[in-house]
Amino acid sequence: MTQAHPHEVSTCPACRLIDKIDGLEDGEMFKLGHWEVANEHQRFERLRAVEDRTADRITKFAGSLKFVYLHTVWFGVWIALNVGLIGLGAEFDKFPFGLLTMIVSLEAIFLATFVMVSQNRQALRSEVRAQVDFESNLQSLIWSIHIGQKLGLDIEHIERLCRDVVGESRAKR
Ligand SMILES: [Zn+2]
């Protein structure tokens, strides 16, 4: 799948032009390590895992102001209750609030993990998207060159121009 059959390259004028693009006329159109359309579906399936989506939801909530308000109220009530400000006589976690400290530490550990799961998922999603983009660009390139060749355009001139423009844009970065 990585390359067209050498025989096919030698008989199709457009493919011969594509062969020349990488500077080597070797009968191999492209040397690509990762050309995996078949894998695509599987990888999207992986993205739909329930645990991953739950991690996304938790991370989204933890990154909201609602989360801050909820904790402010929780800490406020907890501390007020335990220093005797509310005066119910229900001081179950006296200063320095050991139970609260333990609960919040555990919460922090789980939240950190959820954030990382969520980040990994986002990274995987971008990777799959980039791969799909790359494959469709490659298809467009092959189609364009075949159409251009049929129309009698000077493909090598266009390629030279493309290389110059791309090179210039890279140099600016
Ligand atoms: Zn061809």
Side-chain angles (χ1 to χ4, degrees), residues 4 8-9 11-16 18 29 142 146:
E8 203 186 330
V9 172
T11 53
C12 173
C15 285
R16 267 208 304 277
I18 295 172
M29 284 167 64
I142 293 170
H146 279 78

Side-chain angles (χ1 to χ4, degrees), residues 71 74-75 98-110:
H71 280 73
W74 173 24
F75 295 157
L99 179 61
L100 181 64
T101 308
M102 193 198 75
I103 294 171
V104 171
S105 309
L106 288 176
E107 191 193 20
I109 290 169
F110 281 106

Side-chain angles (χ1 to χ4, degrees), residues 1-170:
M1 215 167 183
T2 309
Q3 65 218 34
H5 195 275
H7 183 72
E8 203 186 330
V9 172
S10 62
T11 53
C12 173
C15 285
R16 267 208 304 277
L17 287 164
I18 295 172
D19 180 21
K20 274 189 216 162
I21 288 175
D22 62 2
L24 275 166
E25 216 177 327
D26 51 9
E28 286 182 22
M29 284 167 64
F30 300 102
K31 281 178 180 162
L32 299 169
H34 49 297
W35 175 252
E36 316 166 353
V37 184
N39 246 350
E40 215 64 77
H41 189 67
Q42 248 181 324
R43 291 162 80 184
F44 274 121
E45 278 305 304
R46 165 83 184 80
L47 287 177
R48 281 198 216 113
V50 182
E51 309 95 324
D52 285 356
R53 264 185 303 168
T54 309
D56 268 359
R57 254 181 249 134
I58 292 170
T59 308
K60 197 178 164 202
F61 176 62
S64 69
L65 277 176
K66 240 190 257 171
F67 188 82
V68 177
Y69 299 146
L70 190 75
H71 280 73
T72 309
V73 172
W74 173 24
F75 295 157
V77 171
W78 188 290
I79 291 168
L81 210 63
N82 286 294
V83 295
L85 271 182
I86 296 179
L88 292 174
E91 292 158 26
F92 58 91
D93 185 29
K94 289 198 162 98
F95 184 82
F97 320 113
L99 179 61
L100 181 64
T101 308
M102 193 198 75
I103 294 171
V104 171
S105 309
L106 288 176
E107 191 193 20
I109 290 169
F110 281 106
L111 271 184
T113 310
F114 282 128
V115 169
M116 283 186 280
V117 169
S118 200
Q119 272 179 349
N120 288 341
R121 187 169 126 77
Q122 299 296 336
L124 181 64
R125 190 187 281 156
S126 319
E127 196 190 296
V128 171
R129 258 186 215 150
Q131 180 69 20
V132 172
D133 277 354
F134 169 74
E135 286 164 9
S136 87
N137 285 339
L138 207 52
Q139 286 183 337
S140 305
L141 175 70
I142 293 170
W143 274 102
S144 312
I145 292 177
H146 279 78
I147 292 166
Q149 197 270 332
K150 213 48 170 187
L151 288 174
L153 303 181
D154 184 352
I155 306 270
E156 281 170 74
H157 157 74
I158 297 170
E159 260 312 309
R160 246 189 333 270
L161 189 63
C162 289
R163 249 197 307 274
D164 288 353
V165 172
V166 170
E168 235 172 82
S169 127
R170 274 185 199 161

